[in-house]
Amino acid sequence: MKIALIGAGNVAYHLSKRFAECGVKVIQVFSRTQSRADIVAAKCNAEAITDLSKISRNCDVYLLAVSDSAIPEVSATLVKLGFKSKLIAHTSGATPSTTLSESGCSRFGVFYPLQTMSKLSHPDFNKIPLCVDSINETDLALLTELGLKICPNVFHIPDTQRAVLHVAAVFVNNFANHMFHIGKEILDASDLPFRLLLPLIQETVVKLDQGTPEEMQTGPAKRGDLETVQRHVELLKPFPEYQELYRMLTMSIRRMGEGK
Ligand SMILES: NC(=O)c1ccc[n+]([C@@H]2O[C@H](COP(=O)([O-])OP(=O)(O)OC[C@H]3O[C@@H](n4cnc5c(N)ncnc54)[C@H](OP(=O)(O)O)[C@@H]3O)[C@@H](O)[C@H]2O)c1
């Protein structure tokens, strides 16, 4: 199977490495920026291009690993260049596959790795759920086959369900990470090192193997230690935004504890 990778950001970087490791042939990597295309193309021994009109017509799948907002524009350009009937799939959790059909693609799908990826991270494709979708059975089979070449956990998740999955992912990853950021700011203001919290952060996640998040919830809000909650709110006076967040999250934990 031959792939063209369009985009040279975080996801393209890790997909190109993984494709190469698993013997999937990436023919070309496109980026608007030559140096970025070069870096990603070098990972999979592909040609680096910065001109979409130079893209090969001989690929089985054209993977769009570009920013969500660029998917309509880039896919419409591919259609104009004559790729209308080629299989074009994007890697976005939040974008419906139909965004591609609205751009004029007649064969379209999704190839969404459900993992946070940045250039410095080391995503383990043996554990990542890969969500694929296409309304065409042959194209769905092709994307599933491609997915199975790079990771064992491939799921067919249609647009409506993937949208829900993505919202949940924002809570457990983006928002959880934002909480780590806030924790760090609070410690920084008192000259305490963030690394003191790392074992706690790790254990919070590791113990989810033993039970549900609801079962694993601890802390003053869960216990109903309202005096401790009040002391924390006082301590957070220098951070009014975090004080408000603390109150909201405390109420959310209490409401869930009451089964509401
Ligand atoms: N990072 C994650 O954790 C993650 C996980 C799963 C799925 N995704 C999805 O994967 C996709 C890529 O995410 P990413 O994190 O790899 O993004 P990223 O690192 O920000 O890279 C975005 C890429 O899109 C290109 N791009 C942006 N606007 C463009 C335009 N108008 N025309 C052509 N290229 C354009 C950029 O090109 P230049 O290099 O030229 O600037 C860059 O190569 C997104 O749909 C995202 O939702 C991300």
Side-chain angles (χ1 to χ4, degrees):
M1 209 184 289
K2 291 187 215 139
I3 310 299
L5 207 45
I6 295 151
N10 297 308
V11 169
Y13 177 84
H14 288 291
L15 280 179
S16 66
K17 270 174 69 178
R18 185 62 176 171
F19 282 141
E21 276 164 19
C22 298
V24 177
K25 186 74 197 141
V26 179
I27 303 285
Q28 288 167 324
V29 173
F30 163 85
S31 167
R32 296 173 300 183
T33 318
Q34 184 71 50
S35 57
R36 293 199 192 126
D38 286 342
I39 291 170
V40 174
K43 294 283 161 206
C44 56
N45 207 17
E47 181 192 6
I49 57 169
T50 54
D51 180 354
L52 261 188
S53 68
K54 296 218 170 102
I55 207 144
S56 163
R57 310 223 153 234
N58 297 324
C59 294
D60 301 291
V61 182
Y62 294 80
L63 267 188
L64 298 193
V66 296
S67 319
D68 293 356
S69 57
I71 292 172
E73 177 194 329
V74 178
S75 54
T77 306
L78 284 174
V79 169
K80 273 193 207 128
L81 290 169
F83 292 84
K84 182 182 171 70
S85 53
K86 297 286 186 183
L87 175 52
I88 299 174
H90 69 61
T91 60
S92 168
T95 310
S97 63
T98 47
T99 298
L100 296 169
S101 59
E102 283 158 15
S103 299
C105 306
S106 56
R107 294 177 59 203
F108 55 93
V110 178
F111 193 81
Y112 165 53
L114 179 43
Q115 183 54 286
T116 173
M117 294 189 192
S118 46
K119 293 234 168 85
L120 292 178
S121 66
H122 301 280
D124 181 352
F125 278 87
N126 287 314
K127 293 188 180 151
I128 295 174
L130 186 83
C131 308
V132 294
D133 188 24
S134 174
I135 54 165
N136 176 297
E137 276 190 22
T138 311
D139 290 338
L140 179 61
L142 198 62
L143 291 173
T144 305
E145 185 190 338
L146 177 62
L148 286 170
K149 285 183 194 290
I150 61 167
C151 70
N153 305 307
V154 179
F155 300 93
H156 174 210
I157 313 259
D159 277 351
T160 44
Q161 283 184 309
R162 201 180 58 262
V164 172
L165 194 56
H166 193 256
V167 174
V170 166
F171 270 95
V172 304
N173 173 243
N174 303 152
F175 290 171
N177 193 67
H178 185 62
M179 295 297 137
F180 305 155
H181 186 172
I182 291 175
K184 181 176 181 308
E185 293 229 322
I186 292 168
L187 292 186
D188 283 351
S190 293
D191 288 327
L192 285 159
F194 180 63
R195 69 182 146 72
L196 285 177
L197 292 182
L198 286 180
L200 177 62
I201 291 171
Q202 279 152 5
E203 181 63 10
T204 306
V205 175
V206 165
K207 72 180 188 174
L208 291 175
D209 272 346
Q210 316 301 325
T212 65
E214 193 184 346
E215 287 165 344
M216 292 301 161
Q217 187 71 53
T218 59
K222 166 78 177 182
R223 288 189 302 268
D225 278 343
L226 299 182
E227 283 176 23
T228 304
V229 167
Q230 199 44 46
R231 269 201 301 278
H232 287 172
V233 171
E234 289 292 314
L235 268 171
L236 287 171
K237 264 191 180 150
F239 308 95
E241 215 179 299
Y242 304 158
Q243 203 179 35
E244 184 55 24
L245 255 179
Y246 185 102
R247 283 203 187 96
M248 283 172 65
L249 291 169
T250 296
M251 275 160 58
S252 179
I253 293 171
R254 295 213 30 85
R255 275 198 300 267
M256 281 195 174
E258 290 159 9
K260 287 182 193 160

